[in-house]
Each structure stands twice: as structure tokens, then as C-alpha cells.
């Protein structure tokens, strides 16, 4: 039996990220964006990258203020590199993005994707 994890929006999870130059992957953090209904019905979850970004900068990067409560071991940022992953590949839940970080993320997302506003 294959274990399937259904996550809620704003949960921080561990997932395998592939290397681009070799057939290996590394366990990394990601932020769940899609709803539980979406995740369950489609068997896949929409996520975005979480990284320490020590050597790079990406337009739209957002520092996570309450990184410890999000289950992170060090300061990180949310990077708007979106991807969809089969639910069976989600390894574990680490924490939740806190309210202040959620609000900042939503505002950042609206600024970069204005078609989302009503």
C-alpha cells in the first residue's frame, strides 16, 4: 500500500527536489498552495519552493518571519517557483506558515500576479 498525504494550504512539507544535472534528488522544504479538496481529488498538490537562498536572489522572494513555527531550522524565504507533485511523494509535514507570513505571502502573490485580485 502506498501512503498518500493530503495537506492543507500553508503547510510546510518535505519533498524530493530533482537536481538538474544528474539523476538524483534532495529533500527540500516546500509550501502547500492548493486546497485539501484539490489535493485529494487530483492526487497531486500545488507547491512552491522554500529555500535558504544564501547565494541567490529571485524577484518576489519573501522572507519567512516566523520560520521556527513553520518547522524550519534556519531563516528561509518563499520562492515563487511553483510545481505540482504527486501526493505519494510528499514525505512529511514540518509546520505551518503563521498568520503574518500568510498575509505577506498573499500580498506578494497579488503584486506579482495581479489577475488574482477581484
Amino acid at each position: 500500500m502506498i501512503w498518500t498525504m493530503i495537506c492543507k494550504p500553508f503547510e510546510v512539507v518535505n519533498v524530493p527536489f530533482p537536481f538538474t544535472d544528474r539523476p538524483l534528488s534532495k529533500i527540500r522544504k516546500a509550501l502547500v498552495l492548493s486546497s485539501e479538496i484539490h489535493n485529494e481529488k487530483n492526487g497531486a498538490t500545488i507547491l512552491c519552493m522554500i529555500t535558504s537562498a544564501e547565494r541567490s536572489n529571485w524577484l518576489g522572494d519573501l522572507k519567512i518571519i516566523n520560520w521556527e513555527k513553520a518547522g524550519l531550522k534556519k531563516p528561509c524565504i518563499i520562492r515563487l517557483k511553483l510545481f505540482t507533485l504527486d501526493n505519494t511523494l510528499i514525505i512529511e509535514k514540518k509546520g505551518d506558515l503563521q498568520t503574518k507570513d500568510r498575509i505577506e505571502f498573499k500580498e506578494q502573490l497579488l503584486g506579482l500576479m495581479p489577475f488574482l485580485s477581484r
Side-chain angles (χ1 to χ4, degrees), residues 57-69:
N57 192 4
W58 188 270
L59 181 64
D61 280 356
L62 182 67
K63 289 183 183 179
I64 299 172
I65 304 302
N66 293 306
W67 53 271
E68 291 159 317
K69 289 185 179 178

Side-chain angles (χ1 to χ4, degrees), residues 34-111:
S34 50
S35 70
E36 287 176 277
I37 293 170
H38 171 279
N39 302 340
E40 187 171 1
K41 297 281 184 194
N42 293 314
T45 299
I46 301 170
L47 304 140
C48 73
M49 178 187 231
I50 293 178
T51 181
S52 60
E54 295 170 345
R55 296 180 301 272
S56 66
N57 192 4
W58 188 270
L59 181 64
D61 280 356
L62 182 67
K63 289 183 183 179
I64 299 172
I65 304 302
N66 293 306
W67 53 271
E68 291 159 317
K69 289 185 179 178
L72 303 168
K73 293 181 180 178
K74 61 183 177 179
C76 290
I77 57 112
I78 299 168
R79 177 159 289 165
L80 289 176
K81 288 188 176 183
L82 308 181
F83 60 101
T84 302
L85 191 69
D86 189 283
N87 292 335
T88 62
L89 296 175
I90 297 173
I91 298 165
E92 66 180 326
K93 298 176 185 179
K94 298 302 291 183
D96 293 286
L97 206 62
Q98 300 300 296
T99 302
K100 182 173 177 31
D101 290 314
R102 290 179 187 201
I103 292 167
E104 292 292 324
F105 176 72
K106 287 178 184 179
E107 289 177 9
Q108 185 78 347
L109 199 58
L110 285 173

